[in-house]
Amino acid sequence: MSIAILIALYAAIFAAVVGAVWFVSRELQVSRGVGRRLRGEVAVKVEKKATPLFRPQTVKSPFLVWIQELFLTDSKERQGLSRNLHQAGFDSPSAPAIYKSTQLFLAVVLPVGFVIAMRFSGKELSVFKMIAGCGIFLAMGYLGPYLFVKNAGKDRQTKLQDQFPDALDLTVVCVEAGLPLEAAFIRVGGDTRVSHPRISEEFRTVTEELQAGRTRAEALHSFANRTQVDVV
């Protein structure tokens, strides 16, 4: 089997999978809309949007918007992925779509690269070995970003675990000196920017949420849910 035929076959399979996912997701959305109308629910859907902070909360790239609408239609899955990416230090609104597009890109490029490398190396592999090799590289391309984000999240949690006690001590000192808690967060977040960058970033986020109108309890609970660190 020639390399051109293998590449064309792989591209056709990939296109078929993407098309099937798009078709199924569209049909599910249509069926949910029909179900809501049959149950007599209000046709106009009012979505609750999170209060925007000072950083943009929308995805601007048309390509990333397309990826998000095609592969991240489940809100729970998207929220879970966003939480995992934030724990790894990727808090951009575009991070989930970039993560998914990276998975898809590597799942295509690595198998095709394997086929091309085998072709130019002069080694003759059977069709079964070629397909098995493509499957292995496809799995590597798809699982690679997941493992990277998981390891980065564990590393960041470890650093937050180590840095939080020092930041908490500084916060207590500021409060005992007469500063309100919100002002203490601002002061500690600024003073620890170099020595404790991870916790400084989280204190900045808490401060932004408080300034955006969230209550102190909501901001602190959000802090704990984002970090998933026991001491926090």
Side-chain angles (χ1 to χ4, degrees):
M1 185 179 293
S2 67
I3 182 173
I5 296 176
L6 282 174
I7 293 175
L9 178 62
Y10 191 82
I13 293 173
F14 177 75
V17 171
V18 172
V21 171
W22 175 81
F23 178 78
V24 171
S25 64
R26 191 188 67 169
E27 290 300 315
L28 287 175
Q29 290 176 351
V30 172
S31 63
R32 283 197 294 265
V34 173
R36 284 195 298 269
R37 289 193 293 271
L38 289 175
R39 291 192 300 269
E41 295 180 0
V42 179
V44 178
K45 182 180 178 182
V46 179
E47 295 184 353
K48 292 184 178 179
K49 295 183 179 180
T51 302
L53 302 178
F54 298 112
R55 285 173 287 182
Q57 299 295 308
T58 57
V59 180
K60 295 183 178 180
S61 170
F63 172 74
L64 294 179
V65 170
W66 177 75
I67 290 291
Q68 183 171 278
E69 292 177 350
L70 189 61
F71 297 101
L72 296 171
T73 56
D74 189 339
S75 60
K76 290 184 178 180
E77 178 187 359
R78 187 167 62 249
Q79 291 173 1
L81 179 57
S82 297
R83 184 170 57 250
N84 293 337
L85 289 168
H86 183 89
Q87 291 174 8
F90 306 104
D91 57 353
S92 168
S94 303
I98 293 174
Y99 170 86
K100 185 60 67 172
S101 60
T102 302
Q103 274 190 325
L104 297 173
F105 176 77
L106 292 177
V108 173
V109 169
L110 291 184
V112 172
F114 166 74
V115 172
I116 294 175
M118 290 297 98
R119 181 68 176 180
F120 283 97
S121 67
K123 296 181 180 179
E124 293 293 336
L125 296 179
S126 64
V127 175
F128 173 78
K129 290 183 179 180
M130 188 69 73
I131 295 176
C134 289
I136 292 173
F137 278 96
L138 186 150
M140 290 174 58
Y142 195 80
L143 294 177
Y146 167 78
L147 296 175
F148 172 79
V149 169
K150 184 177 180 180
N151 291 332
K154 287 183 177 180
D155 179 67
R156 191 169 186 271
Q157 282 185 311
T158 300
K159 291 180 179 178
L160 286 171
Q161 185 89 19
D162 296 338
Q163 295 174 7
F164 182 72
D166 293 338
L168 184 61
D169 289 341
L170 290 175
T171 305
V172 172
V173 170
C174 291
V175 172
E176 290 178 345
L179 285 178
L181 184 60
E182 290 79 1
F185 281 141
I186 296 174
R187 177 64 184 271
V188 174
D191 290 347
T192 59
R193 188 174 302 164
V194 176
S195 60
H196 297 62
R198 301 294 187 278
I199 201 66
S200 173
E201 178 186 345
E202 291 297 337
F203 272 36
R204 184 189 65 185
T205 302
V206 172
T207 301
E208 290 179 350
E209 291 185 346
L210 291 171
Q211 292 175 342
R214 301 193 74 176
T215 65
R216 182 183 298 176
E218 290 173 344
L220 294 178
H221 278 297
S222 177
F223 178 25
N225 291 332
R226 281 195 313 272
T227 58
Q228 295 293 307
V229 175
D230 293 338
V231 67
V232 176

